[in-house]
Amino acid sequence: MKVRTRIAPSPTGDPHVGTAYIALFNLCFARQHGGEFILRIEDTDQVRSSSESEQRILEALRWVGLQWDEGPDVGGDFGPYRQSERAEIYKEHSAKLLDAGHAFHCFCSSERLGELRKEQMANKQRVGYDGHCLSLSDDEIKAKLAAGESSVVRMKIPQEGVCKIQDTLRGEVEIEWLQVDMQVLVKADGLPTYHLANVVDDHLMEITHVIRGEEWISSAPKHILLYQYFGWQAPEFCHMPLLRNPDKSKLSKRKNPTSILFYQRMGYMAEALLNYLGRMGWSMPDEREQFSLEEMIKDFDLKRVSLGGPIFDKEKLDWLNGNWIRDLSEEEFSQRVLEWAINKQHLDPAIPLIQSRVEKFSDIAPLAGFMVSGLLDVTEASFEHKKLDKDAVRKVLQFVSWQVDVLFTWDKAHIEEGFSGLAEAMELKFRDFVFPLFVAISGKAASVSVMDAMVFLGPDLSRARIRHAVEVLGGVSKKETKRWDKEYQQLNIKKNS
Ligand code: GLU
């Protein structure tokens, strides 16, 4: 049997370092066994998925040096590799489950489900579907379907006993069936949920080993049961420990830049980032810190992954990256710098911002140096303003930071709309409101348009600079965060996406 592994990102945001981390382990495992590594796009969530995000994920994974053998861009014998192009396949499979009595139509309204949820929470019961529609007769179901009543398809779940999951790293894991919800498999719009699409595709794409983040372990019983319902052999499951912030919380963009593009823009070497991700929970037999992808593949052993949550620590990454950089020859170094940002493709979008503001080429570096920098050397004094005192500046920056944390579409129109709404809600003149942002983003009180600069820098670096500015101004205490968060929630800001 040929080993086949996969990475199955959902294109709903920026390419996450966690995706590269899981992809790396899948790739190493496949390569070491002479197998294949597949990339599948899980875009069943039509509202949150976008082709731009898919594009960025593919580019980021390629940049970092992970190449797949089959995928939406390179093709393969098991395509299509984008779930949105496989709707018919899922329809066929959900029909099979319904026919065999393993799944059922559910007509419950969102109001009923909301009430049920409230009641269960009040009674401190497990929140989940109560099986209401299981008691419908065949005739009732037919009549409802014929009348065009909205419905979903749910899977049946045993009401007693335990599900035993064999996990490569954990051995046998038991989850009581009572803890497992009667999962929706097909939504009211006829599209599958992650669970159905994922299992069907892993089977049809002949995936032998599912190596994924541990947040999916609670879904494993549903998946194992689906394999049984279909009469298929389940793949081997391996749930990898999650990457964590230094405070042990789950790696999140609120605390740490999580986008691969951030690390690219900061000028980390792809090899060093990959090397660092390889060190997350895994070690070389001789424990050395610096190794290439080829070396990792050669010595790879999934069993040497340790389950303690690996800490993604930027200082450690900086140290490792420094080692990689110093190992380059001078020729390689200059070539890498050119590839990194001193090239036409990277600079072209900045030209319209710069050209009208300079008189000599030598004016470019002082004006636009911030565009090729990491975190800026700002101090408390940089933020002095005649109308806004330090606290007001801190507050503007903190509120903006909350706003851009959830800004989904990162373009000028959305950033501008968000800022003008926030300035108005905070009862500040726009000119005063954007002052701290100019300083945080460009290091100066006046520069190229701050919104254009944020688009150029991208979400993660912009967020990191705003967060850095808050820190420079003394940070925000826990108590203050609570108070301000409440205030922020109460501001009547027009919500954008
Ligand atoms: N689409 C899921 C994700 O975004 C894939 C989970 C899995 O590997 O099964 O992480």
Side-chain angles (χ1 to χ4, degrees):
M1 185 187 52
K2 186 159 221 177
V3 165
R4 285 172 60 85
T5 64
R6 53 41 166 202
I7 183 75
S10 297
T12 54
D14 271 334
H16 199 283
V17 282
T19 305
Y21 160 67
I22 299 292
L24 170 66
F25 282 79
N26 274 283
L27 178 119
C28 286
F29 186 79
R31 291 276 177 275
Q32 213 211 22
H33 289 85
E36 276 142 6
F37 169 59
I38 284 105
L39 184 137
R40 178 174 74 229
I41 293 292
E42 300 211 324
D43 55 352
T44 52
D45 184 340
Q46 298 270 291
V47 181
R48 295 178 56 233
S49 299
S50 74
S51 54
E52 294 80 48
S53 162
E54 174 185 320
Q55 220 34 53
R56 285 202 299 266
I57 292 172
L58 298 193
E59 268 164 32
L61 291 178
R62 242 184 255 122
W63 171 74
V64 94
L66 299 168
Q67 189 52 56
W68 44 98
D69 305 300
E70 296 167 30
D73 55 337
V74 293
D77 293 339
F78 298 81
Y81 293 92
R82 206 176 271 118
Q83 291 187 328
S84 55
E85 293 165 23
R86 299 171 65 82
E88 282 307 312
I89 301 175
Y90 309 127
K91 227 178 243 167
E92 215 178 280
H93 285 85
S94 69
K96 275 191 195 153
L97 293 175
L98 283 164
D99 284 350
H102 296 314
F104 62 99
H105 290 283
C106 168
F107 299 89
C108 291
S109 64
S110 49
E111 290 74 43
R112 172 169 194 277
L113 296 174
E115 281 304 314
L116 178 67
R117 195 187 154 80
K118 251 195 239 155
E119 213 177 285
Q120 287 167 332
M121 280 175 41
N123 296 336
K124 299 213 160 59
Q125 286 169 316
R126 187 186 73 82
V127 173
Y129 188 62
D130 60 354
H132 183 74
C133 287
L134 274 170
S135 59
L136 292 173
S137 70
D138 284 353
D139 287 343
E140 282 172 306
I141 296 170
K142 267 196 203 127
K144 281 176 181 288
L145 290 176
E149 257 187 58
S150 165
S151 67
V152 300
V153 175
R154 289 181 186 273
M155 69 187 287
K156 288 190 185 167
I157 299 287
Q159 290 307 290
E160 53 179 31
V162 290
C163 174
K164 293 185 176 161
I165 306 153
Q166 303 300 333
D167 182 275
T168 317
L169 298 175
R170 295 165 177 78
E172 192 167 273
V173 178
E174 295 194 349
I175 297 184
E176 278 184 49
W177 282 116
L178 275 179
Q179 302 304 319
V180 182
D181 195 23
M182 293 180 214
Q183 178 65 48
V184 172
L185 298 177
V186 182
K187 296 173 279 185
D189 61 7
L191 289 173
T193 55
Y194 153 74
H195 304 278
L196 177 66
N198 184 273
V199 165
V200 167
D201 286 349
D202 280 346
H203 174 72
L204 295 180
M205 295 181 181
E206 297 183 8
I207 301 302
T208 54
H209 295 76
V210 167
I211 303 169
R212 60 183 174 190
E214 70 189 339
E215 73 266 38
W216 297 105
I217 205 159
S218 58
S219 298
K222 296 171 196 170
H223 297 181
I224 289 171
L225 191 57
L226 283 172
Y227 282 102
Q228 279 173 19
Y229 283 168
F230 284 120
W232 297 335
Q233 155 106 43
E236 186 168 326
F237 288 106
C238 173
H239 292 92
M240 295 285 296
L242 286 184
L243 301 183
R244 302 197 172 267
N245 295 311
D247 67 2
K248 296 266 165 95
S249 58
K250 184 179 154 191
L251 190 69
S252 68
K253 66 180 174 201
R254 273 199 167 211
K255 299 206 173 131
N256 238 323
T258 53
S259 166
I260 300 170
L261 301 174
F262 169 83
Y263 294 93
Q264 181 185 27
R265 189 165 283 261
M266 287 290 282
Y268 288 92
M269 280 175 61
E271 292 91 333
L273 181 59
L274 214 49
N275 178 176
Y276 189 59
L277 291 173
R279 294 277 298 114
M280 296 283 99
W282 189 82
S283 56
M284 274 290 195
D286 63 0
E287 302 276 323
R288 73 177 185 281
E289 304 251 15
Q290 199 177 341
F291 49 83
S292 67
L293 177 59
E294 290 68 36
E295 289 168 327
M296 180 167 172
I297 292 171
K298 189 169 140 287
D299 280 321
F300 190 67
D301 180 357
L302 203 46
K303 294 249 159 56
R304 256 202 337 270
V305 170
S306 81
L307 285 175
I311 306 276
F312 189 92
D313 178 351
K314 266 188 50 247
E315 278 176 30
K316 202 82 203 279
L317 171 62
D318 286 354
W319 168 82
L320 192 58
N321 201 62
N323 285 353
W324 274 89
I325 285 201
R326 285 187 294 275
D327 283 351
L328 294 172
S329 68
E330 285 178 10
E331 179 55 32
E332 283 166 337
F333 182 88
S334 79
Q335 188 55 35
R336 289 295 185 117
V337 174
L338 294 179
E339 278 166 21
W340 165 60
I342 315 300
N343 62 65
K344 198 165 147 45
Q345 194 196 1
H346 184 77
L347 294 181
D348 274 355
I351 303 305
L353 311 179
I354 301 170
Q355 195 177 0
S356 58
R357 291 180 171 87
V358 297
E359 286 166 344
K360 310 173 281 306
F361 293 141
S362 55
D363 295 336
I364 296 175
L367 176 75
F370 78 94
M371 290 182 170
V372 284
S373 300
L375 293 184
L376 303 176
D377 205 6
V378 286
T379 62
E380 240 186 80
S382 325
F383 291 91
E384 267 166 29
H385 187 259
K386 52 183 182 317
K387 293 227 189 98
L388 303 177
D389 64 13
K390 182 175 149 194
D391 282 346
V393 166
R394 232 165 21 100
K395 195 168 179 177
V396 166
L397 290 168
Q398 184 58 54
F399 281 19
V400 168
S401 155
W402 283 329
Q403 186 174 53
V404 296
D405 264 350
V406 294
L407 185 61
F408 186 59
T409 314
W410 195 263
D411 61 16
K412 191 175 178 185
H414 283 83
I415 297 174
E416 206 160 23
E417 188 188 324
F419 283 1
S420 53
L422 185 55
E424 200 181 302
M426 291 180 86
E427 295 175 3
L428 289 173
K429 276 211 186 101
F430 194 69
R431 194 158 25 106
D432 297 334
F433 170 87
V434 286
F435 161 77
L437 288 162
F438 264 102
V439 181
I441 294 293
S442 70
K444 289 191 223 104
S447 179
V448 306
S449 140
V450 72
M451 277 147 326
D452 283 321
M454 286 173 75
V455 174
F456 179 83
L457 294 170
D460 265 35
L461 186 51
S462 302
R463 285 178 192 129
R465 285 198 187 160
I466 297 169
R467 248 192 325 254
H468 178 63
V470 175
E471 289 312 312
V472 165
L473 290 165
V476 182
S477 70
K478 271 202 176 132
K479 232 168 125 190
E480 211 168 23
T481 306
K482 250 192 169 160
R483 188 157 47 80
W484 280 2
D485 190 36
K486 208 166 158 196
E487 214 177 293
Y488 177 72
Q489 302 300 341
Q490 282 166 354
L491 288 179
N492 192 17
I493 316 164
K494 221 176 111 228
K495 290 267 173 288
N496 56 25
S497 54

